Amino acid sequence: MRLAMAGDGAAYDRCLRGMAVRLRGGVRRAIMRAGLAASDAEDVVQEILLAVHLKRHTWDAARPIGPWLAAIARHKTIDAIRRRGGRAGVPLDDVVDTLPAPSEEPAIRETELVRALERLPAGERAAVTAIAVDGASFSDAARKLGTSEGALRVALHRGLARLGRTAHERT
Amino acid sequence: MKTDDLVRALAADAAVRERPLAVALPVAAAAGLAVALALFAVALGPRPDIATAAQTLRFVLKPVEMGLFAIVAVVLAVRLAEPGAPVRRLVAGLAAPAGLLGVAVTAELATVPSAEWGRRLVGTNARVCLVSIPLLAAPVLVASLWALRRGAPVHPAGAGAAAGLFSASVAAALYALHCGDDSPLFVATWYSLATVLVVAAGALAGRRLLRW
């Protein structure tokens, strides 16, 4: 994560994937204990990763990353459980696994993020879709969408920020 | 969308970076303070005898105490908006300025005859104090909350309350230059009451505005 904060995109990618692996098991356990369907867990993992991204400037590189990630994961998990009408007050000490469990991402699902994506303004939606789902590079996506790379970067950033905001505003 | 896809988009957005709150909050607060200073200059202004008053311990203690509160509170507000950051020692640190005020009150009670206590506590400016401190605090509080929205407070009301304490302390340090009541008995009563109002406003606003 320290490398990632210094602007190393590849390190950041690895770091986020590592977090997803560590989060999956604990989030699923918490969700099930709250009486919700295990299939909601991946939505919550995605929400946590989005929050990690949007709030990464609140991590002080002089501090260990563990407590920071754990606090975000707890906060987002409690929020998600409450929103879905699950049982509150579930103990959540272990949302982040210390050892990465061999957990795979579930294969085909219509995620909550997809529904949130559909509500984005067209430009931002196109940018997020091109980079995320199609896996295009900025230059390819910009050419395809008939815009500049800079504008695309801005649209992607705004789109992700809006996804993060709409997550907790859903009731 | 698969988590894999999401990670790809997040990594592509890695270059955009925001300033840490330890920078963003003081910068925003400085803008709020500029507005408060303008309000102070227009509506209140320093007391006419400030040059002689500045040579008395009672007067000097006021901005010093309020300044200490402001420093601890601003660090606390930043920490409360950083998930997992340690805050316990800072909360305990609030005891330092509170203790200083307590010592000043004790000293006042010991040196001033008890017949004087009531008059000093009520003072001459209580109502102006109760109105001015929240009014001067308002721009600082608005600016602080705006900066804190970029943070990630796990307890939004708590972070809002800390921002309220910070704003009220800054406002009180400023108001102290106008206020003619220097007795610690007055400060402990009316400044505190005004501060509680702003802290409550900060907590309420924080609960609504600082969710994420």
Side-chain angles (χ1 to χ4, degrees), chain B residues 22-204:
Chain B
V23 178
L25 180 55
V27 167
L33 178 61
V35 176
L37 275 170
L39 274 175
F40 178 78
V42 171
L44 296 169
R47 56 194 268 184
D49 64 339
I50 190 160
T52 38
Q55 287 159 24
T56 65
L57 183 60
R58 281 194 181 84
F59 176 83
V60 173
L61 262 179
K62 294 193 293 179
V64 168
E65 283 159 355
M66 299 306 138
L68 281 175
F69 268 119
I71 291 168
V72 181
V74 72
V75 180
L76 184 62
V78 168
R79 290 276 181 88
L80 282 172
E82 293 173 342
V87 292
R88 218 170 269 173
R89 273 168 54 192
L90 269 173
V91 174
L94 285 173
L100 182 60
L101 186 58
V103 168
V105 167
T106 312
E108 181 83 343
L109 292 179
T111 54
V112 173
S114 56
E116 270 284 287
W117 291 357
R119 199 180 60 77
R120 293 206 173 205
L121 187 144
V122 173
T124 53
N125 254 342
R127 200 173 302 155
V128 182
C129 169
L130 279 184
V131 174
S132 302
I133 290 180
L135 216 61
L136 293 174
V140 184
L141 181 59
V142 169
S144 304
L145 289 172
W146 178 78
L148 284 174
R149 274 178 67 82
R150 288 146 186 265
V154 175
H155 302 292
L165 178 60
F166 165 62
S167 314
S169 309
V170 168
L174 198 56
Y175 174 71
L177 307 179
H178 169 81
C179 169
D181 295 299
D182 293 341
S183 169
L185 299 177
F186 182 90
V187 175
T189 308
W190 301 106
Y191 281 44
S192 305
L193 197 56
T195 300
V196 167
L197 293 177
V198 181
V199 169
L204 280 176

Side-chain angles (χ1 to χ4, degrees), chain A residues 1 5 12 52-59 68, chain B residues 13-14 16:
Chain A
M1 188 70 178
M5 294 295 278
Y12 189 43
V52 160
H53 176 69
L54 295 172
K55 301 297 185 183
R56 63 197 189 283
H57 57 279
T58 64
W59 175 57
W68 179 78
Chain B
D13 189 43
V16 185

